[in-house]
Amino acid sequence: MDILVVIEGVSAVLAFVLVRFMLKPYRTFEDSRYLSLPLGFAFLGFSYIFMGISLLLNAPSSIEKAKWMHLFTGAYAFTFLAVTYYFSAKKSEKEARPVVQALISLSFLLLIFLVVVLFFPPILEIPDYKAADEYFRLFNMLMALYIVFHTLKSHMEKPEPSTIFAPLGYALLAFSQYSLLIWSVDSSFSAFLGAHILRISSLLIFLYLSCAPLISPRKTRQVEQQ
Amino acid sequence: MKQLRRDRLKIYMDLLIIIRTESKKERIALTRIQQKSNVPFDRLKTYLTELKERGLIEDENAPKLTEKGGQSLAEYEQVLEFMKRMGLSFRR
């Protein structure tokens, strides 16, 4: 289990490093459509932290709480990422702003509600984590597949070697959720380990995507003329 | 560049790109910049004055990118390249 805790820690660090890069489109254009991108990666980081905590804990009730937090923050992450891609393609900033703001407010309210339910019993009975696990994994996988479809479509419109990495990265994230789904059904350790390897590979791809334009700025000069 | 509205930012960056391309020639003609940018001449003069006030170009009558202007443009292009790689559309 120790190696898995380390993997969760490394994943969280990678996700938080990526947040810094993902903030750039929002900071440059001050466009609310791009705010959900760093939020998505931040929630991914938090979900890995909660998973790591759940692996470290011994008391079943504490494990249950950490896993619920992991499930919710993970679902938020994929929702925010999917929202970014949906609005970046279809809506103008004016239309997107109220929806994005409402989504952010709603998600934080839900998170506060979850924290109250989990940590201030006995207001409500906490349902069994395992009952919801599969549904959350399936939801995350569908969100990730939507992003794969979207990024692949962008790549097909203007095929370039550098644009194939984003769909690949999101596909690995989707497969990672699929592996976790398998793990939640049959508890196989190989599925659990496979999910972690797929996830680290995916985050490394995003790190490469984020760093590459900074390393070779001269290549970027053609972008605006296209 | 953070204080700018999105549309204004795009216009500024388009102008900086044109100035960078044109500065390879001996003399930068304002009429040439105007033709390429498709901005009315009076507004072009206003934009160039604003760019000079922000320290992005030298001399609005024969504009040339300053170091700050070059850096801002490079950062802007890096963000666009990053967005392209991430599969994000840039629509306004």
Side-chain angles (χ1 to χ4, degrees):
Chain A
M1 278 293 168
D2 285 350
I3 182 74
L4 292 177
V5 176
V6 172
I7 293 176
E8 296 294 348
V10 171
S11 303
V13 170
L14 281 174
F16 288 126
V17 169
L18 285 169
V19 170
R20 199 175 160 270
F21 291 105
M22 303 299 165
L23 261 170
K24 282 193 172 185
Y26 175 70
R27 289 173 73 175
T28 305
F29 301 110
E30 293 190 340
D31 188 326
S32 55
R33 284 176 298 179
Y34 308 126
L35 181 59
S36 39
L37 186 68
L39 275 173
F41 278 91
F43 274 115
L44 268 188
F46 285 119
S47 80
Y48 303 147
I49 287 176
F50 285 118
M51 190 61 176
I53 290 172
S54 76
L55 293 171
L56 281 172
L57 294 170
N58 293 319
S61 68
S62 306
I63 293 173
E64 186 90 352
K65 286 171 187 171
K67 284 194 171 174
W68 266 111
M69 291 301 288
H70 162 72
L71 282 187
F72 264 88
T73 46
Y76 280 177
F78 285 98
T79 307
F80 276 120
L81 291 175
V83 162
T84 308
Y85 284 91
Y86 175 77
F87 281 119
S88 87
K90 290 190 177 174
K91 306 270 178 182
S92 70
E93 204 264 342
K94 256 186 178 173
E95 289 172 74
R97 197 183 304 153
V99 181
V100 172
Q101 284 172 350
L103 189 73
I104 291 170
S105 310
L106 189 71
S107 57
F108 278 98
L109 280 175
L110 263 173
L111 208 59
I112 291 166
F113 175 74
L114 181 72
V115 169
V116 170
V117 168
L118 288 178
F119 296 99
F120 298 97
I123 297 172
L124 281 172
E125 188 69 30
I126 310 166
D128 183 21
Y129 148 81
K130 281 185 181 165
D133 190 27
E134 291 160 30
Y135 296 107
F136 273 85
R137 301 291 175 210
L138 197 64
F139 174 79
N140 294 348
M141 206 172 73
L142 289 174
M143 291 286 136
L145 285 175
Y146 168 75
I147 305 170
V148 172
F149 166 76
H150 181 98
T151 48
L152 208 55
K153 204 173 133 207
S154 298
H155 170 72
M156 301 293 264
E157 281 168 8
K158 275 185 186 176
E160 275 182 49
S162 64
T163 54
I164 192 66
F165 289 101
L168 180 67
Y170 286 115
L172 289 176
L173 270 186
F175 282 125
S176 157
Q177 290 301 311
Y178 179 71
S179 288
L180 287 173
L181 183 68
I182 301 289
W183 170 67
S184 69
V185 172
D186 69 0
S187 303
S188 83
F189 182 72
S190 55
F192 193 56
L193 188 66
H196 284 72
I197 292 167
L198 286 168
R199 179 216 294 166
I200 289 276
S201 314
S202 154
L203 293 173
L204 286 174
I205 285 174
F206 290 124
L207 193 65
Y208 164 73
L209 278 178
S210 307
C211 293
L214 301 174
I215 293 163
S216 55
R218 283 189 177 276
K219 282 184 187 172
T220 66
R221 290 192 176 171
Q222 305 116 12
V223 175
E224 189 60 25
Q225 285 136 7
Q226 284 170 3
Chain B
M1 288 269 104
K2 261 193 249 176
Q3 302 305 316
L4 294 172
R5 275 177 57 83
R6 236 174 23 265
D7 293 352
R8 186 60 71 93
L9 176 72
K10 177 83 170 73
I11 294 167
Y12 280 0
M13 289 304 156
D14 285 348
L15 285 173
L16 291 182
I17 289 165
I18 294 166
I19 292 167
R20 184 177 63 195
T21 314
E22 290 296 306
S23 64
K24 285 166 193 159
K25 294 166 189 169
E26 265 185 34
R27 175 154 169 72
I28 305 167
L30 286 187
T31 46
R32 183 91 180 119
I33 297 173
Q34 196 242 322
Q35 278 170 3
K36 279 194 160 186
S37 62
N38 205 19
V39 172
F41 200 77
D42 55 336
R43 253 198 285 164
L44 175 68
K45 291 285 278 182
T46 313
Y47 291 148
L48 291 176
T49 307
E50 285 174 8
L51 285 173
K52 195 185 171 225
E53 281 169 5
R54 287 176 181 272
L56 300 174
I57 58 166
E58 295 166 2
D59 188 1
E60 64 251 54
N61 296 314
K64 257 190 169 180
L65 289 192
T66 60
E67 199 184 324
K68 188 184 169 190
Q71 275 175 2
S72 299
L73 189 54
E75 279 171 26
Y76 176 77
E77 288 176 324
Q78 279 171 10
V79 173
L80 285 181
E81 173 67 12
F82 168 67
M83 287 171 68
K84 190 183 82 181
R85 284 170 184 252
M86 285 298 291
L88 284 168
S89 317
F90 177 58
R91 289 179 190 175
R92 287 172 302 146

